[in-house]
Amino acid sequence: MPMPALTTAPLKRRLASLVYELLLTAAVTCVAMIPAGIAAAVLGRIWPPLASMAVSIIMVGGWWLYFRANWQRRGQTLPMRVWKIGLVNQNGKRPTAKEFKMRFIWACVFLVFVPLLAYSVLHSMGIPPKTAAATALFWWILPWGYALLHPDKQFLYDALAGTRLVDQPESK
Protein backbone atom coordinates (compact mmCIF):
# COMPACT_ATOMS: atom_id res chain seq x y z
CA MET A 1 0.00 0.00 0.00
CA PRO A 2 1.70 3.27 -1.07
CA MET A 3 2.11 6.07 1.45
CA PRO A 4 0.05 9.20 0.74
CA ALA A 5 1.79 12.46 0.00
CA LEU A 6 1.18 13.79 3.51
CA THR A 7 4.30 14.92 5.36
CA THR A 8 5.07 13.31 8.69
CA ALA A 9 5.05 15.87 11.48
CA PRO A 10 8.60 16.45 12.79
CA LEU A 11 9.57 14.31 15.78
CA LYS A 12 10.46 17.33 17.95
CA ARG A 13 7.01 18.83 17.41
CA ARG A 14 5.31 15.51 18.16
CA LEU A 15 7.31 15.14 21.38
CA ALA A 16 6.42 18.71 22.40
CA SER A 17 2.78 17.85 21.77
CA LEU A 18 3.19 14.75 23.95
CA VAL A 19 4.44 16.86 26.88
CA TYR A 20 1.36 19.06 26.58
CA GLU A 21 -0.80 15.92 26.22
CA LEU A 22 0.66 14.57 29.47
CA LEU A 23 -0.59 17.67 31.30
CA LEU A 24 -4.11 17.28 29.94
CA THR A 25 -4.10 13.54 30.60
CA ALA A 26 -3.04 14.28 34.19
CA ALA A 27 -6.07 16.55 34.53
CA VAL A 28 -8.34 13.82 33.10
CA THR A 29 -6.76 11.38 35.57
CA CYS A 30 -7.54 13.71 38.49
CA VAL A 31 -11.19 13.95 37.43
CA ALA A 32 -11.41 10.16 36.93
CA MET A 33 -9.95 9.65 40.41
CA ILE A 34 -13.16 10.97 41.97
CA PRO A 35 -15.38 8.05 40.85
CA ALA A 36 -12.39 5.68 41.13
CA GLY A 37 -11.88 6.69 44.77
CA ILE A 38 -15.55 6.17 45.52
CA ALA A 39 -15.47 2.75 43.84
CA ALA A 40 -12.32 1.81 45.77
CA ALA A 41 -13.89 2.84 49.09
CA VAL A 42 -17.12 0.95 48.49
CA LEU A 43 -15.73 -2.16 46.79
CA GLY A 44 -12.62 -2.35 48.98
CA ARG A 45 -14.80 -3.42 51.88
CA ILE A 46 -16.39 -6.18 49.83
CA TRP A 47 -13.39 -7.59 47.97
CA PRO A 48 -10.13 -5.61 47.48
CA PRO A 49 -9.20 -7.22 44.12
CA LEU A 50 -12.56 -6.06 42.74
CA ALA A 51 -11.82 -2.54 43.97
CA SER A 52 -8.46 -2.55 42.18
CA MET A 53 -10.07 -3.76 38.97
CA ALA A 54 -12.80 -1.12 39.19
CA VAL A 55 -10.24 1.64 39.69
CA SER A 56 -8.25 0.43 36.67
CA ILE A 57 -11.35 0.27 34.48
CA ILE A 58 -12.50 3.73 35.55
CA MET A 59 -9.06 5.25 34.87
CA VAL A 60 -8.67 3.67 31.43
CA GLY A 61 -12.30 4.53 30.67
CA GLY A 62 -11.70 8.18 31.54
CA TRP A 63 -8.68 8.33 29.26
CA TRP A 64 -10.60 6.63 26.45
CA LEU A 65 -13.48 9.11 26.76
CA TYR A 66 -11.04 12.03 26.53
CA PHE A 67 -9.15 10.70 23.50
CA ARG A 68 -12.19 9.34 21.67
CA ALA A 69 -14.09 12.60 22.07
CA ASN A 70 -11.19 14.58 20.63
CA TRP A 71 -10.16 12.19 17.86
CA GLN A 72 -13.68 11.55 16.60
CA ARG A 73 -14.76 15.17 16.68
CA ARG A 74 -11.76 16.82 15.03
CA GLY A 75 -9.24 14.05 14.57
CA GLN A 76 -6.94 15.86 16.99
CA THR A 77 -6.52 16.57 20.67
CA LEU A 78 -5.89 20.15 21.83
CA PRO A 79 -2.09 19.67 21.88
CA MET A 80 -2.23 18.24 18.37
CA ARG A 81 -4.16 21.32 17.19
CA VAL A 82 -1.72 23.68 18.92
CA TRP A 83 1.28 21.94 17.32
CA LYS A 84 -0.52 21.54 13.96
CA ILE A 85 -0.41 17.75 13.94
CA GLY A 86 -3.08 15.64 12.29
CA LEU A 87 -3.95 12.00 12.85
CA VAL A 88 -4.62 10.02 9.68
CA ASN A 89 -4.65 6.37 8.66
CA GLN A 90 -2.24 4.79 6.18
CA ASN A 91 -4.47 5.98 3.30
CA GLY A 92 -4.21 9.61 4.45
CA LYS A 93 -7.84 9.74 5.56
CA ARG A 94 -9.43 10.24 8.97
CA PRO A 95 -8.95 7.01 10.94
CA THR A 96 -11.90 4.70 11.44
CA ALA A 97 -13.34 4.02 14.89
CA LYS A 98 -11.44 0.71 14.90
CA GLU A 99 -8.14 2.47 14.11
CA PHE A 100 -8.79 4.99 16.92
CA LYS A 101 -9.45 2.11 19.32
CA MET A 102 -6.35 0.22 18.22
CA ARG A 103 -4.16 3.32 18.62
CA PHE A 104 -5.52 3.83 22.14
CA ILE A 105 -5.13 0.15 23.07
CA TRP A 106 -1.54 -0.07 21.77
CA ALA A 107 -0.62 3.19 23.54
CA CYS A 108 -2.08 1.84 26.81
CA VAL A 109 -0.18 -1.42 26.38
CA PHE A 110 3.19 0.27 25.89
CA LEU A 111 2.77 3.33 28.12
CA VAL A 112 0.79 1.87 31.03
CA PHE A 113 0.55 -1.90 31.15
CA VAL A 114 4.11 -2.90 30.18
CA PRO A 115 5.70 -0.49 32.70
CA LEU A 116 3.27 -1.69 35.41
CA LEU A 117 4.04 -5.32 34.61
CA ALA A 118 7.78 -4.58 34.63
CA TYR A 119 7.44 -2.86 38.01
CA SER A 120 5.46 -5.77 39.41
CA VAL A 121 8.00 -8.34 38.24
CA LEU A 122 10.99 -6.31 39.45
CA HIS A 123 9.38 -5.61 42.82
CA SER A 124 8.49 -9.30 43.28
CA MET A 125 12.16 -10.11 42.65
CA GLY A 126 13.04 -8.09 45.75
CA ILE A 127 14.15 -4.90 44.00
CA PRO A 128 13.29 -1.81 46.11
CA PRO A 129 10.16 0.07 44.95
CA LYS A 130 11.95 3.26 43.82
CA THR A 131 14.52 1.32 41.79
CA ALA A 132 11.84 -0.94 40.33
CA ALA A 133 9.73 2.10 39.34
CA ALA A 134 12.65 3.93 37.73
CA THR A 135 13.66 0.80 35.83
CA ALA A 136 10.08 0.12 34.71
CA LEU A 137 9.84 3.62 33.24
CA PHE A 138 12.62 2.75 30.80
CA TRP A 139 9.92 0.87 28.88
CA TRP A 140 8.57 4.29 27.87
CA ILE A 141 11.57 4.58 25.56
CA LEU A 142 10.26 1.72 23.42
CA PRO A 143 7.17 3.31 21.80
CA TRP A 144 8.77 6.68 21.22
CA GLY A 145 12.31 5.48 20.53
CA TYR A 146 10.86 3.23 17.85
CA ALA A 147 10.31 6.40 15.79
CA LEU A 148 14.08 6.69 15.35
CA LEU A 149 14.08 3.31 13.56
CA HIS A 150 10.79 3.53 11.64
CA PRO A 151 11.16 4.66 7.99
CA ASP A 152 8.37 7.25 8.41
CA LYS A 153 9.44 8.15 11.99
CA GLN A 154 6.13 7.00 13.47
CA PHE A 155 5.69 5.93 17.08
CA LEU A 156 5.30 2.20 17.72
CA TYR A 157 1.62 2.40 18.65
CA ASP A 158 0.87 4.36 15.47
CA ALA A 159 2.71 1.82 13.33
CA LEU A 160 0.78 -1.05 14.96
CA ALA A 161 -2.59 0.73 14.71
CA GLY A 162 -2.12 1.81 11.09
CA THR A 163 -2.20 5.53 11.93
CA ARG A 164 0.20 8.37 11.21
CA LEU A 165 0.91 11.78 12.73
CA VAL A 166 1.23 14.29 9.92
CA ASP A 167 1.67 18.01 9.38
CA GLN A 168 -1.72 19.66 9.56
CA PRO A 169 -2.06 22.45 7.00
CA GLU A 170 -3.20 25.86 8.15
CA SER A 171 -7.00 26.10 7.95
CA LYS A 172 -8.31 29.25 6.37
Side-chain angles (χ1 to χ4, degrees):
M1 188 177 310
M3 286 288 196
L6 296 170
T7 306
T8 299
L11 188 57
K12 285 182 182 179
R13 212 165 72 222
R14 288 185 286 145
L15 290 173
S17 176
L18 273 172
V19 170
Y20 189 177
E21 198 72 72
L22 276 170
L23 294 172
L24 293 180
T25 306
V28 170
T29 301
C30 289
V31 171
M33 282 304 295
I34 296 168
I38 294 168
V42 172
L43 297 174
R45 294 179 189 154
I46 299 167
W47 191 40
L50 180 61
S52 296
M53 185 182 300
V55 168
S56 298
I57 290 170
I58 291 168
M59 297 309 297
V60 171
W63 298 331
W64 170 242
L65 289 175
Y66 164 73
F67 285 107
R68 187 193 70 190
N70 282 282
W71 290 340
Q72 287 185 331
R73 186 175 21 155
R74 292 189 174 187
Q76 302 169 294
T77 59
L78 177 61
M80 292 168 74
R81 285 193 299 272
V82 167
W83 290 97
K84 296 175 181 54
I85 298 170
L87 180 62
V88 298
N89 63 20
Q90 293 299 326
N91 298 322
K93 296 184 174 28
R94 174 175 267 194
T96 64
K98 181 181 177 184
E99 289 165 331
F100 285 135
K101 286 177 193 170
M102 292 310 298
R103 184 176 198 263
F104 179 78
I105 289 168
W106 281 117
C108 282
V109 164
F110 290 113
L111 300 174
V112 179
F113 302 128
V114 170
L116 285 175
L117 180 62
Y119 172 82
S120 179
V121 168
L122 292 168
H123 187 61
S124 71
M125 293 170 49
I127 296 176
K130 286 183 183 178
T131 306
T135 306
L137 290 180
F138 277 110
W139 280 102
W140 279 3
I141 296 169
L142 177 64
W144 298 319
Y146 178 83
L148 300 174
L149 305 173
H150 190 273
D152 197 31
K153 304 294 183 212
Q154 294 300 321
F155 297 134
L156 180 56
Y157 46 86
D158 282 309
L160 292 170
T163 56
R164 298 177 57 214
L165 293 173
V166 297
D167 271 326
Q168 185 72 33
E170 289 286 331
S171 54
K172 298 187 182 196

